[in-house]
Amino acid sequence: MTLSEKPLESSPVSSAALDELRRAHQSLRGLLNVVALSLLILTGGLSVVLLRDVSQARRQLKELTQFVENYNKTSLPAMVEIRDRLHSFARSHPAYNAIFTNYFNPASIPGPGQIPTAPPPASNASPVRLPTLPER
Amino acid sequence: MKSNPLTSLLAGLLLFSSLAVAGLCFTYVQSMRTLQKRQAQAAAINQNRAVIQQLLLKSMEYGKTDPAMEKILKDIGLDLKSPAGDVVPKPGVK
């Protein structure tokens, strides 16, 4: 026979124990409600903070994406054209070639009009080189 | 055993809220990763621009001694006679 199946109301001692148990149960339930409410407030606050941060991060991401796309559409082709023109000039003018090679590694420059997609080898890196964009 | 409606409601709300926080955490981490990649790209772009500007400044200095360079700089929209520091090529000028 289990505890719940025992006829507890049959004796005064059992009835007192049952009242005690009921009070303890009510107290425990109240405590559970308080803890649940506290956790609810905590998770609600955390949600608000995270929502705000995610919203801010998305806004920044949108701006940066636009910036990168703008660069890829307008600035990068212009810069590649400038580099190609200066590169062809540097090949015929050794004095200028010394300046040019401080900024670009001629070995890593692709053909005219081609936009570099991969970074140049590390071994060819001079102190100042035109870096390439990391992959998306 | 009798079920307390308040406890059930609180437990349900807590479960929902916890799931929402977990989802938001995941979204936040993903957003931050993407943002860091974009920030690295933006830093590389700024570095590219700085390098090109430095090269153009040096080229302008060199152009003072070599007329051939002056012609190239004019072709890309830079005029040696313009105020110093204006090394951004005019858009559309070739």
Side-chain angles (χ1 to χ4, degrees):
Chain A
M1 186 181 278
T2 61
L3 185 64
S4 60
E5 289 168 339
K6 282 181 184 174
L8 293 172
E9 289 82 6
S10 60
S11 67
V13 177
S14 298
S15 176
L18 187 63
D19 285 344
E20 178 78 20
L21 196 63
R22 277 185 183 141
R23 277 197 297 273
H25 179 247
Q26 284 297 324
S27 169
L28 199 62
R29 179 167 274 176
L31 196 65
L32 178 70
N33 287 348
V34 168
V35 169
L37 197 62
S38 305
L39 283 174
L40 201 59
I41 291 168
L42 190 71
T43 51
L46 198 59
S47 293
V48 170
V49 170
L50 281 172
L51 205 60
R52 206 180 54 185
D53 283 357
V54 166
S55 156
Q56 195 178 351
R58 281 188 176 165
R59 203 178 325 119
Q60 283 182 355
L61 191 62
K62 196 179 170 186
E63 285 172 8
L64 284 175
T65 304
Q66 203 170 2
F67 175 71
V68 171
E69 281 175 2
N70 216 11
Y71 169 82
N72 284 332
K73 272 185 195 167
T74 56
S75 302
L76 187 59
M79 284 161 67
V80 168
E81 190 190 338
I82 291 169
R83 185 201 61 190
D84 289 345
R85 279 169 180 251
L86 295 177
H87 183 218
S88 51
F89 180 81
R91 277 187 289 201
S92 55
H93 293 76
Y96 179 72
N97 194 40
I99 297 170
F100 185 79
T101 49
N102 279 335
Y103 296 91
F104 289 101
N105 182 2
S108 69
I109 295 176
Q114 288 181 344
I115 298 172
T117 52
S123 57
N124 287 337
S126 67
V128 186
R129 296 286 191 205
L130 184 69
T132 52
L133 291 181
E135 287 181 18
R136 289 186 195 180
Chain B
M1 189 176 152
K2 209 164 56 178
S3 173
N4 190 332
L6 179 66
T7 308
S8 302
L9 179 72
L10 284 174
L13 283 175
L14 188 59
L15 180 69
F16 175 76
S17 186
S18 303
L19 288 174
V21 167
L24 279 170
C25 272
F26 179 76
T27 313
Y28 178 74
V29 169
Q30 293 295 321
S31 298
M32 289 315 267
R33 275 187 193 163
T34 318
L35 188 63
Q36 278 179 351
K37 281 182 190 171
R38 283 286 185 278
Q39 280 173 341
Q41 284 182 334
I45 284 170
N46 288 331
Q47 203 182 342
N48 278 359
R49 284 184 171 160
V51 168
I52 283 284
Q53 283 195 350
Q54 281 179 14
L55 176 62
L56 287 175
L57 278 173
K58 291 276 181 189
S59 302
M60 285 171 85
E61 279 177 28
Y62 180 82
K64 288 171 187 168
T65 60
D66 192 339
M69 172 57 81
E70 195 177 351
K71 186 184 173 300
I72 286 180
L73 292 176
K74 271 186 184 173
D75 283 349
I76 60 176
L78 290 172
D79 192 355
L80 290 182
K81 294 168 186 72
S82 68
D86 184 19
V87 291
V88 180
K90 293 169 194 168
V93 177
K94 291 189 178 180

mmCIF file with all atom_site columns, all heavy atoms in Angstrom, chain A residues 111-135:
data_model
loop_
_atom_site.group_PDB
_atom_site.id
_atom_site.type_symbol
_atom_site.label_atom_id
_atom_site.label_alt_id
_atom_site.label_comp_id
_atom_site.label_asym_id
_atom_site.label_entity_id
_atom_site.label_seq_id
_atom_site.pdbx_PDB_ins_code
_atom_site.Cartn_x
_atom_site.Cartn_y
_atom_site.Cartn_z
_atom_site.occupancy
_atom_site.B_iso_or_equiv
_atom_site.pdbx_formal_charge
_atom_site.auth_seq_id
_atom_site.auth_comp_id
_atom_site.auth_asym_id
_atom_site.auth_atom_id
_atom_site.pdbx_PDB_model_num
ATOM 1   N N   . GLY A 1 111 ? 46.046 40.337 -65.496 1.00 0.00 ? 111 GLY A N   1
ATOM 2   C CA  . GLY A 1 111 ? 46.000 41.062 -66.768 1.00 0.00 ? 111 GLY A CA  1
ATOM 3   C C   . GLY A 1 111 ? 45.169 42.316 -66.677 1.00 0.00 ? 111 GLY A C   1
ATOM 4   O O   . GLY A 1 111 ? 44.407 42.487 -65.732 1.00 0.00 ? 111 GLY A O   1
ATOM 5   N N   . PRO A 1 112 ? 45.299 43.221 -67.682 1.00 0.00 ? 112 PRO A N   1
ATOM 6   C CA  . PRO A 1 112 ? 44.567 44.483 -67.624 1.00 0.00 ? 112 PRO A CA  1
ATOM 7   C C   . PRO A 1 112 ? 43.059 44.258 -67.554 1.00 0.00 ? 112 PRO A C   1
ATOM 8   O O   . PRO A 1 112 ? 42.516 43.419 -68.245 1.00 0.00 ? 112 PRO A O   1
ATOM 9   C CB  . PRO A 1 112 ? 44.937 45.173 -68.948 1.00 0.00 ? 112 PRO A CB  1
ATOM 10  C CG  . PRO A 1 112 ? 46.163 44.500 -69.406 1.00 0.00 ? 112 PRO A CG  1
ATOM 11  C CD  . PRO A 1 112 ? 46.138 43.118 -68.875 1.00 0.00 ? 112 PRO A CD  1
ATOM 12  N N   . GLY A 1 113 ? 42.423 45.011 -66.670 1.00 0.00 ? 113 GLY A N   1
ATOM 13  C CA  . GLY A 1 113 ? 40.968 44.932 -66.547 1.00 0.00 ? 113 GLY A CA  1
ATOM 14  C C   . GLY A 1 113 ? 40.477 43.836 -65.633 1.00 0.00 ? 113 GLY A C   1
ATOM 15  O O   . GLY A 1 113 ? 39.322 43.817 -65.238 1.00 0.00 ? 113 GLY A O   1
ATOM 16  N N   . GLN A 1 114 ? 41.373 42.929 -65.256 1.00 0.00 ? 114 GLN A N   1
ATOM 17  C CA  . GLN A 1 114 ? 40.933 41.845 -64.378 1.00 0.00 ? 114 GLN A CA  1
ATOM 18  C C   . GLN A 1 114 ? 40.985 42.298 -62.931 1.00 0.00 ? 114 GLN A C   1
ATOM 19  O O   . GLN A 1 114 ? 41.947 42.926 -62.491 1.00 0.00 ? 114 GLN A O   1
ATOM 20  C CB  . GLN A 1 114 ? 41.837 40.617 -64.545 1.00 0.00 ? 114 GLN A CB  1
ATOM 21  C CG  . GLN A 1 114 ? 41.625 39.911 -65.878 1.00 0.00 ? 114 GLN A CG  1
ATOM 22  C CD  . GLN A 1 114 ? 42.506 38.692 -65.989 1.00 0.00 ? 114 GLN A CD  1
ATOM 23  O OE1 . GLN A 1 114 ? 43.456 38.528 -65.240 1.00 0.00 ? 114 GLN A OE1 1
ATOM 24  N NE2 . GLN A 1 114 ? 42.191 37.847 -66.949 1.00 0.00 ? 114 GLN A NE2 1
ATOM 25  N N   . ILE A 1 115 ? 39.926 41.967 -62.224 1.00 0.00 ? 115 ILE A N   1
ATOM 26  C CA  . ILE A 1 115 ? 39.855 42.349 -60.815 1.00 0.00 ? 115 ILE A CA  1
ATOM 27  C C   . ILE A 1 115 ? 40.378 41.190 -59.978 1.00 0.00 ? 115 ILE A C   1
ATOM 28  O O   . ILE A 1 115 ? 39.923 40.056 -60.142 1.00 0.00 ? 115 ILE A O   1
ATOM 29  C CB  . ILE A 1 115 ? 38.414 42.690 -60.421 1.00 0.00 ? 115 ILE A CB  1
ATOM 30  C CG1 . ILE A 1 115 ? 37.951 43.898 -61.242 1.00 0.00 ? 115 ILE A CG1 1
ATOM 31  C CG2 . ILE A 1 115 ? 38.285 42.960 -58.937 1.00 0.00 ? 115 ILE A CG2 1
ATOM 32  C CD1 . ILE A 1 115 ? 36.493 44.221 -61.090 1.00 0.00 ? 115 ILE A CD1 1
ATOM 33  N N   . PRO A 1 116 ? 41.365 41.453 -59.110 1.00 0.00 ? 116 PRO A N   1
ATOM 34  C CA  . PRO A 1 116 ? 41.895 40.354 -58.319 1.00 0.00 ? 116 PRO A CA  1
ATOM 35  C C   . PRO A 1 116 ? 40.855 39.814 -57.354 1.00 0.00 ? 116 PRO A C   1
ATOM 36  O O   . PRO A 1 116 ? 40.132 40.571 -56.731 1.00 0.00 ? 116 PRO A O   1
ATOM 37  C CB  . PRO A 1 116 ? 43.053 40.998 -57.556 1.00 0.00 ? 116 PRO A CB  1
ATOM 38  C CG  . PRO A 1 116 ? 42.754 42.456 -57.556 1.00 0.00 ? 116 PRO A CG  1
ATOM 39  C CD  . PRO A 1 116 ? 41.981 42.730 -58.798 1.00 0.00 ? 116 PRO A CD  1
ATOM 40  N N   . THR A 1 117 ? 40.771 38.512 -57.276 1.00 0.00 ? 117 THR A N   1
ATOM 41  C CA  . THR A 1 117 ? 39.797 37.913 -56.362 1.00 0.00 ? 117 THR A CA  1
ATOM 42  C C   . THR A 1 117 ? 40.467 37.185 -55.210 1.00 0.00 ? 117 THR A C   1
ATOM 43  O O   . THR A 1 117 ? 39.871 36.987 -54.179 1.00 0.00 ? 117 THR A O   1
ATOM 44  C CB  . THR A 1 117 ? 38.897 36.918 -57.099 1.00 0.00 ? 117 THR A CB  1
ATOM 45  O OG1 . THR A 1 117 ? 39.741 36.003 -57.796 1.00 0.00 ? 117 THR A OG1 1
ATOM 46  C CG2 . THR A 1 117 ? 37.992 37.613 -58.102 1.00 0.00 ? 117 THR A CG2 1
ATOM 47  N N   . ALA A 1 118 ? 41.715 36.784 -55.412 1.00 0.00 ? 118 ALA A N   1
ATOM 48  C CA  . ALA A 1 118 ? 42.410 36.064 -54.337 1.00 0.00 ? 118 ALA A CA  1
ATOM 49  C C   . ALA A 1 118 ? 43.554 36.925 -53.814 1.00 0.00 ? 118 ALA A C   1
ATOM 50  O O   . ALA A 1 118 ? 44.168 37.681 -54.571 1.00 0.00 ? 118 ALA A O   1
ATOM 51  C CB  . ALA A 1 118 ? 42.958 34.746 -54.881 1.00 0.00 ? 118 ALA A CB  1
ATOM 52  N N   . PRO A 1 119 ? 43.830 36.855 -52.503 1.00 0.00 ? 119 PRO A N   1
ATOM 53  C CA  . PRO A 1 119 ? 44.938 37.635 -51.978 1.00 0.00 ? 119 PRO A CA  1
ATOM 54  C C   . PRO A 1 119 ? 46.266 37.158 -52.530 1.00 0.00 ? 119 PRO A C   1
ATOM 55  O O   . PRO A 1 119 ? 46.412 35.977 -52.852 1.00 0.00 ? 119 PRO A O   1
ATOM 56  C CB  . PRO A 1 119 ? 44.854 37.399 -50.467 1.00 0.00 ? 119 PRO A CB  1
ATOM 57  C CG  . PRO A 1 119 ? 44.051 36.177 -50.309 1.00 0.00 ? 119 PRO A CG  1
ATOM 58  C CD  . PRO A 1 119 ? 43.154 36.077 -51.497 1.00 0.00 ? 119 PRO A CD  1
ATOM 59  N N   . PRO A 1 120 ? 47.258 38.051 -52.675 1.00 0.00 ? 120 PRO A N   1
ATOM 60  C CA  . PRO A 1 120 ? 48.553 37.635 -53.191 1.00 0.00 ? 120 PRO A CA  1
ATOM 61  C C   . PRO A 1 120 ? 49.252 36.734 -52.178 1.00 0.00 ? 120 PRO A C   1
ATOM 62  O O   . PRO A 1 120 ? 48.948 36.780 -50.988 1.00 0.00 ? 120 PRO A O   1
ATOM 63  C CB  . PRO A 1 120 ? 49.303 38.968 -53.340 1.00 0.00 ? 120 PRO A CB  1
ATOM 64  C CG  . PRO A 1 120 ? 48.618 39.905 -52.431 1.00 0.00 ? 120 PRO A CG  1
ATOM 65  C CD  . PRO A 1 120 ? 47.201 39.461 -52.344 1.00 0.00 ? 120 PRO A CD  1
ATOM 66  N N   . PRO A 1 121 ? 50.198 35.920 -52.661 1.00 0.00 ? 121 PRO A N   1
ATOM 67  C CA  . PRO A 1 121 ? 50.917 35.039 -51.736 1.00 0.00 ? 121 PRO A CA  1
ATOM 68  C C   . PRO A 1 121 ? 51.640 35.837 -50.662 1.00 0.00 ? 121 PRO A C   1
ATOM 69  O O   . PRO A 1 121 ? 52.164 36.923 -50.926 1.00 0.00 ? 121 PRO A O   1
ATOM 70  C CB  . PRO A 1 121 ? 51.920 34.319 -52.647 1.00 0.00 ? 121 PRO A CB  1
ATOM 71  C CG  . PRO A 1 121 ? 51.436 34.527 -54.026 1.00 0.00 ? 121 PRO A CG  1
ATOM 72  C CD  . PRO A 1 121 ? 50.646 35.773 -54.044 1.00 0.00 ? 121 PRO A CD  1
ATOM 73  N N   . ALA A 1 122 ? 51.692 35.284 -49.475 1.00 0.00 ? 122 ALA A N   1
ATOM 74  C CA  . ALA A 1 122 ? 52.290 36.000 -48.349 1.00 0.00 ? 122 ALA A CA  1
ATOM 75  C C   . ALA A 1 122 ? 53.770 36.258 -48.558 1.00 0.00 ? 122 ALA A C   1
ATOM 76  O O   . ALA A 1 122 ? 54.317 37.250 -48.102 1.00 0.00 ? 122 ALA A O   1
ATOM 77  C CB  . ALA A 1 122 ? 52.067 35.208 -47.068 1.00 0.00 ? 122 ALA A CB  1
ATOM 78  N N   . SER A 1 123 ? 54.424 35.329 -49.286 1.00 0.00 ? 123 SER A N   1
ATOM 79  C CA  . SER A 1 123 ? 55.868 35.478 -49.484 1.00 0.00 ? 123 SER A CA  1
ATOM 80  C C   . SER A 1 123 ? 56.202 36.699 -50.327 1.00 0.00 ? 123 SER A C   1
ATOM 81  O O   . SER A 1 123 ? 57.298 37.220 -50.260 1.00 0.00 ? 123 SER A O   1
ATOM 82  C CB  . SER A 1 123 ? 56.431 34.223 -50.135 1.00 0.00 ? 123 SER A CB  1
ATOM 83  O OG  . SER A 1 123 ? 55.746 33.987 -51.340 1.00 0.00 ? 123 SER A OG  1
ATOM 84  N N   . ASN A 1 124 ? 55.228 37.138 -51.152 1.00 0.00 ? 124 ASN A N   1
ATOM 85  C CA  . ASN A 1 124 ? 55.471 38.280 -52.015 1.00 0.00 ? 124 ASN A CA  1
ATOM 86  C C   . ASN A 1 124 ? 55.092 39.601 -51.364 1.00 0.00 ? 124 ASN A C   1
ATOM 87  O O   . ASN A 1 124 ? 55.176 40.643 -51.996 1.00 0.00 ? 124 ASN A O   1
ATOM 88  C CB  . ASN A 1 124 ? 54.663 38.136 -53.312 1.00 0.00 ? 124 ASN A CB  1
ATOM 89  C CG  . ASN A 1 124 ? 55.264 37.066 -54.201 1.00 0.00 ? 124 ASN A CG  1
ATOM 90  O OD1 . ASN A 1 124 ? 56.441 36.759 -54.075 1.00 0.00 ? 124 ASN A OD1 1
ATOM 91  N ND2 . ASN A 1 124 ? 54.455 36.488 -55.050 1.00 0.00 ? 124 ASN A ND2 1
ATOM 92  N N   . ALA A 1 125 ? 54.651 39.519 -50.138 1.00 0.00 ? 125 ALA A N   1
ATOM 93  C CA  . ALA A 1 125 ? 54.121 40.728 -49.506 1.00 0.00 ? 125 ALA A CA  1
ATOM 94  C C   . ALA A 1 125 ? 55.239 41.695 -49.134 1.00 0.00 ? 125 ALA A C   1
ATOM 95  O O   . ALA A 1 125 ? 56.212 41.332 -48.493 1.00 0.00 ? 125 ALA A O   1
ATOM 96  C CB  . ALA A 1 125 ? 53.334 40.355 -48.259 1.00 0.00 ? 125 ALA A CB  1
ATOM 97  N N   . SER A 1 126 ? 55.091 42.939 -49.562 1.00 0.00 ? 126 SER A N   1
ATOM 98  C CA  . SER A 1 126 ? 56.023 43.986 -49.156 1.00 0.00 ? 126 SER A CA  1
ATOM 99  C C   . SER A 1 126 ? 55.321 44.787 -48.045 1.00 0.00 ? 126 SER A C   1
ATOM 100 O O   . SER A 1 126 ? 54.166 44.547 -47.754 1.00 0.00 ? 126 SER A O   1
ATOM 101 C CB  . SER A 1 126 ? 56.340 44.861 -50.353 1.00 0.00 ? 126 SER A CB  1
ATOM 102 O OG  . SER A 1 126 ? 55.203 45.566 -50.735 1.00 0.00 ? 126 SER A OG  1
ATOM 103 N N   . PRO A 1 127 ? 56.016 45.722 -47.409 1.00 0.00 ? 127 PRO A N   1
ATOM 104 C CA  . PRO A 1 127 ? 55.388 46.422 -46.286 1.00 0.00 ? 127 PRO A CA  1
ATOM 105 C C   . PRO A 1 127 ? 54.038 47.034 -46.633 1.00 0.00 ? 127 PRO A C   1
ATOM 106 O O   . PRO A 1 127 ? 53.128 46.994 -45.836 1.00 0.00 ? 127 PRO A O   1
ATOM 107 C CB  . PRO A 1 127 ? 56.412 47.500 -45.943 1.00 0.00 ? 127 PRO A CB  1
ATOM 108 C CG  . PRO A 1 127 ? 57.699 46.956 -46.420 1.00 0.00 ? 127 PRO A CG  1
ATOM 109 C CD  . PRO A 1 127 ? 57.385 46.101 -47.595 1.00 0.00 ? 127 PRO A CD  1
ATOM 110 N N   . VAL A 1 128 ? 53.940 47.639 -47.796 1.00 0.00 ? 128 VAL A N   1
ATOM 111 C CA  . VAL A 1 128 ? 52.664 48.242 -48.168 1.00 0.00 ? 128 VAL A CA  1
ATOM 112 C C   . VAL A 1 128 ? 52.202 47.644 -49.490 1.00 0.00 ? 128 VAL A C   1
ATOM 113 O O   . VAL A 1 128 ? 52.861 47.805 -50.500 1.00 0.00 ? 128 VAL A O   1
ATOM 114 C CB  . VAL A 1 128 ? 52.792 49.773 -48.318 1.00 0.00 ? 128 VAL A CB  1
ATOM 115 C CG1 . VAL A 1 128 ? 51.443 50.392 -48.553 1.00 0.00 ? 128 VAL A CG1 1
ATOM 116 C CG2 . VAL A 1 128 ? 53.462 50.372 -47.107 1.00 0.00 ? 128 VAL A CG2 1
ATOM 117 N N   . ARG A 1 129 ? 51.131 46.921 -49.452 1.00 0.00 ? 129 ARG A N   1
ATOM 118 C CA  . ARG A 1 129 ? 50.567 46.314 -50.664 1.00 0.00 ? 129 ARG A CA  1
ATOM 119 C C   . ARG A 1 129 ? 49.084 46.623 -50.699 1.00 0.00 ? 129 ARG A C   1
ATOM 120 O O   . ARG A 1 129 ? 48.473 46.831 -49.668 1.00 0.00 ? 129 ARG A O   1
ATOM 121 C CB  . ARG A 1 129 ? 50.734 44.784 -50.626 1.00 0.00 ? 129 ARG A CB  1
ATOM 122 C CG  . ARG A 1 129 ? 52.174 44.341 -50.643 1.00 0.00 ? 129 ARG A CG  1
ATOM 123 C CD  . ARG A 1 129 ? 52.775 44.522 -52.008 1.00 0.00 ? 129 ARG A CD  1
ATOM 124 N NE  . ARG A 1 129 ? 54.065 43.865 -52.062 1.00 0.00 ? 129 ARG A NE  1
ATOM 125 C CZ  . ARG A 1 129 ? 55.017 44.212 -52.900 1.00 0.00 ? 129 ARG A CZ  1
ATOM 126 N NH1 . ARG A 1 129 ? 54.840 45.188 -53.743 1.00 0.00 ? 129 ARG A NH1 1
ATOM 127 N NH2 . ARG A 1 129 ? 56.157 43.581 -52.900 1.00 0.00 ? 129 ARG A NH2 1
ATOM 128 N N   . LEU A 1 130 ? 48.550 46.609 -51.899 1.00 0.00 ? 130 LEU A N   1
ATOM 129 C CA  . LEU A 1 130 ? 47.106 46.772 -52.001 1.00 0.00 ? 130 LEU A CA  1
ATOM 130 C C   . LEU A 1 130 ? 46.457 45.485 -51.516 1.00 0.00 ? 130 LEU A C   1
ATOM 131 O O   . LEU A 1 130 ? 46.606 44.444 -52.139 1.00 0.00 ? 130 LEU A O   1
ATOM 132 C CB  . LEU A 1 130 ? 46.692 47.053 -53.447 1.00 0.00 ? 130 LEU A CB  1
ATOM 133 C CG  . LEU A 1 130 ? 45.217 47.326 -53.644 1.00 0.00 ? 130 LEU A CG  1
ATOM 134 C CD1 . LEU A 1 130 ? 44.839 48.658 -53.019 1.00 0.00 ? 130 LEU A CD1 1
ATOM 135 C CD2 . LEU A 1 130 ? 44.855 47.322 -55.097 1.00 0.00 ? 130 LEU A CD2 1
ATOM 136 N N   . PRO A 1 131 ? 45.778 45.529 -50.386 1.00 0.00 ? 131 PRO A N   1
ATOM 137 C CA  . PRO A 1 131 ? 45.181 44.295 -49.882 1.00 0.00 ? 131 PRO A CA  1
ATOM 138 C C   . PRO A 1 131 ? 43.928 43.932 -50.683 1.00 0.00 ? 131 PRO A C   1
ATOM 139 O O   . PRO A 1 131 ? 43.331 44.786 -51.315 1.00 0.00 ? 131 PRO A O   1
ATOM 140 C CB  . PRO A 1 131 ? 44.820 44.645 -48.444 1.00 0.00 ? 131 PRO A CB  1
ATOM 141 C CG  . PRO A 1 131 ? 44.725 46.119 -48.430 1.00 0.00 ? 131 PRO A CG  1
ATOM 142 C CD  . PRO A 1 131 ? 45.527 46.670 -49.564 1.00 0.00 ? 131 PRO A CD  1
ATOM 143 N N   . THR A 1 132 ? 43.601 42.700 -50.620 1.00 0.00 ? 132 THR A N   1
ATOM 144 C CA  . THR A 1 132 ? 42.368 42.265 -51.276 1.00 0.00 ? 132 THR A CA  1
ATOM 145 C C   . THR A 1 132 ? 41.321 42.001 -50.206 1.00 0.00 ? 132 THR A C   1
ATOM 146 O O   . THR A 1 132 ? 41.656 41.810 -49.043 1.00 0.00 ? 132 THR A O   1
ATOM 147 C CB  . THR A 1 132 ? 42.598 40.989 -52.085 1.00 0.00 ? 132 THR A CB  1
ATOM 148 O OG1 . THR A 1 132 ? 43.215 40.054 -51.228 1.00 0.00 ? 132 THR A OG1 1
ATOM 149 C CG2 . THR A 1 132 ? 43.461 41.257 -53.292 1.00 0.00 ? 132 THR A CG2 1
ATOM 150 N N   . LEU A 1 133 ? 40.080 42.011 -50.636 1.00 0.00 ? 133 LEU A N   1
ATOM 151 C CA  . LEU A 1 133 ? 38.995 41.829 -49.678 1.00 0.00 ? 133 LEU A CA  1
ATOM 152 C C   . LEU A 1 133 ? 38.926 40.387 -49.233 1.00 0.00 ? 133 LEU A C   1
ATOM 153 O O   . LEU A 1 133 ? 39.116 39.491 -50.042 1.00 0.00 ? 133 LEU A O   1
ATOM 154 C CB  . LEU A 1 133 ? 37.662 42.219 -50.313 1.00 0.00 ? 133 LEU A CB  1
ATOM 155 C CG  . LEU A 1 133 ? 37.489 43.694 -50.586 1.00 0.00 ? 133 LEU A CG  1
ATOM 156 C CD1 . LEU A 1 133 ? 36.132 43.942 -51.197 1.00 0.00 ? 133 LEU A CD1 1
ATOM 157 C CD2 . LEU A 1 133 ? 37.609 44.491 -49.308 1.00 0.00 ? 133 LEU A CD2 1
ATOM 158 N N   . PRO A 1 134 ? 38.622 40.177 -47.937 1.00 0.00 ? 134 PRO A N   1
ATOM 159 C CA  . PRO A 1 134 ? 38.408 38.804 -47.509 1.00 0.00 ? 134 PRO A CA  1
ATOM 160 C C   . PRO A 1 134 ? 37.137 38.251 -48.156 1.00 0.00 ? 134 PRO A C   1
ATOM 161 O O   . PRO A 1 134 ? 36.265 39.016 -48.533 1.00 0.00 ? 134 PRO A O   1
ATOM 162 C CB  . PRO A 1 134 ? 38.234 38.918 -45.986 1.00 0.00 ? 134 PRO A CB  1
ATOM 163 C CG  . PRO A 1 134 ? 37.907 40.340 -45.740 1.00 0.00 ? 134 PRO A CG  1
ATOM 164 C CD  . PRO A 1 134 ? 38.489 41.139 -46.855 1.00 0.00 ? 134 PRO A CD  1
ATOM 165 N N   . GLU A 1 135 ? 37.100 36.946 -48.246 1.00 0.00 ? 135 GLU A N   1
ATOM 166 C CA  . GLU A 1 135 ? 35.925 36.332 -48.863 1.00 0.00 ? 135 GLU A CA  1
ATOM 167 C C   . GLU A 1 135 ? 34.701 36.574 -48.018 1.00 0.00 ? 135 GLU A C   1
ATOM 168 O O   . GLU A 1 135 ? 34.777 36.648 -46.812 1.00 0.00 ? 135 GLU A O   1
ATOM 169 C CB  . GLU A 1 135 ? 36.144 34.817 -49.001 1.00 0.00 ? 135 GLU A CB  1
ATOM 170 C CG  . GLU A 1 135 ? 37.132 34.509 -50.085 1.00 0.00 ? 135 GLU A CG  1
ATOM 171 C CD  . GLU A 1 135 ? 37.328 33.030 -50.219 1.00 0.00 ? 135 GLU A CD  1
ATOM 172 O OE1 . GLU A 1 135 ? 36.486 32.275 -49.736 1.00 0.00 ? 135 GLU A OE1 1
ATOM 173 O OE2 . GLU A 1 135 ? 38.339 32.639 -50.820 1.00 0.00 ? 135 GLU A OE2 1
#
